[in-house]
Amino acid sequence: MSKPSVAEVRAGGQPEGIKERVNEEHWAGRLYMRDISPYLSALFIRLGVPPNPITYLMMAFGVLAGVVVAFGGLWPAIAAFLMVQIYLLLDCSDGEVARYTGRTSVAGIYLDRIGHYLAEVALLIGLGVRAQGEFAAGGWVVAGMAAALGAALIKAETDNVVVARAKAGLPEKIADSAMAPRSAGLSLARKAASALRFHRVIQAVELSILVLAAAVVDAVRGDLAATQVLTAVCVAVAALQTVLHLVSVLASRRLH
């Protein structure tokens, strides 16, 4: 196996415009992680590690972060935040290794999507257990599971647009003009929701930051109020976004 430089991996693994993929590239990737990831990707390539095991490792860190969150306390929140950062780093790296080595695959894309499902579901369930204050059944655990279900449904709504188009014999690529709702009122509401970005509350990177912030407040107050408020907010956001996203898809031309 060749020993490429970081610059070579960056050039081959990060094609032009990758940071500008607003709907696919996370803001943290654009801000700093894409600057760091080629160093790890170069190491993987030199060691001969293929892309899919990197994706499996990403999935493991995402799920483990959710498990750690459930233990409560400030240090587990810090650890979970760091694990999610590693999760994001690996998420950048697996694609870079695949592109540089020419080993992109449908299986890799599939595993990547599953990894995102697992990370968000694990973190939200872990948050519910954390808000409960113990590893026991209770209302906050149910709330975390409800938020996790909503997060999974939102992703399913997005992914099933591609499934529906494929089954109907339509091309996978959707024009930007087809994304906007046909109603002017709904289009305005979609732009407002996009500007507020409240849906990011239940996404892995943002949620890990919010969990850490809530843990700091809880440590100062000596209770679980901040974590419980965050859990309630996640339930509300997941429920609202599940409905809004479904309406947005049906009201647009994505299925035409």
Side-chain angles (χ1 to χ4, degrees), residues 180-193:
R182 287 167 286 182
S183 162
L186 284 175
S187 181
L188 182 62
R190 182 176 182 270
K191 289 179 181 178

Side-chain angles (χ1 to χ4, degrees), residues 17 30 37 51 56 64 75 87 101 119-120 135 147 163 170 214 216 232 234:
R30 296 193 299 272
S37 58
Y56 285 124
L64 188 57
W75 286 110
Y87 155 87
T101 60
E120 291 182 10
F135 285 91
V163 173
L170 298 174
V216 172
C234 286

Side-chain angles (χ1 to χ4, degrees), residues 3 42 78 93 96 112 121 139 156 187 204 210 223 226 244 251 255:
K3 295 184 178 181
I78 295 172
S93 187
E96 290 171 359
D112 188 76
V121 166
S187 181
L210 292 172
D223 58 22
L244 291 180
L255 300 176

Side-chain angles (χ1 to χ4, degrees), residues 2-224:
S2 63
K3 295 184 178 181
S5 67
V6 172
E8 289 172 333
V9 172
R10 192 187 306 277
Q14 294 185 8
E16 186 177 354
I18 192 170
K19 290 186 178 181
E20 285 69 46
R21 302 180 306 173
V22 178
N23 292 328
E24 297 181 40
E25 188 70 14
H26 194 276
W27 61 264
R30 296 193 299 272
L31 184 62
Y32 60 89
M33 199 58 82
R34 285 292 181 187
D35 295 326
I36 300 170
S37 58
Y39 291 90
L40 181 61
S41 299
L43 177 61
F44 281 134
I45 292 168
R46 291 167 188 170
L47 293 174
V49 180
N52 285 356
I54 302 172
T55 307
Y56 285 124
L57 191 59
M58 175 201 83
M59 295 163 71
F61 269 97
V63 172
L64 188 57
V67 173
V68 171
V69 159
F71 281 91
L74 182 57
W75 286 110
I78 295 172
F81 167 77
L82 294 175
M83 287 177 184
V84 170
Q85 291 298 304
I86 296 172
Y87 155 87
L88 178 61
L89 175 60
L90 292 166
D91 187 30
C92 292
S93 187
D94 62 358
E96 290 171 359
V97 172
R99 284 186 288 270
Y100 183 86
T101 60
R103 300 180 70 172
T104 56
S105 67
V106 176
I109 296 171
Y110 176 80
L111 288 172
D112 188 76
R113 296 298 301 172
I114 293 295
H116 294 311
Y117 276 72
L118 289 175
E120 291 182 10
V121 166
L123 279 167
L124 287 164
I125 293 175
L127 176 62
V129 175
R130 183 185 185 89
Q132 189 69 33
E134 58 181 341
F135 285 91
W140 290 111
V141 176
V142 173
M145 294 174 70
L149 175 61
L153 284 173
I154 293 164
K155 288 189 175 298
E157 289 171 354
T158 299
D159 290 343
N160 273 289
V161 170
V162 177
V163 173
R165 290 178 65 86
K167 284 183 174 292
L170 298 174
E172 178 183 343
K173 188 172 178 58
I174 303 172
D176 291 340
S177 59
M179 300 291 286
R182 287 167 286 182
S183 162
L186 284 175
S187 181
L188 182 62
R190 182 176 182 270
K191 289 179 181 178
S194 179
L196 291 172
R197 301 190 184 281
F198 67 89
H199 62 284
R200 288 191 169 176
V201 169
I202 56 175
Q203 294 181 348
V205 175
E206 290 82 353
L207 182 56
S208 69
I209 296 171
L210 292 172
V211 167
L212 179 55
V216 172
V217 175
D218 287 345
V220 172
R221 288 175 51 91
D223 58 22
L224 294 171

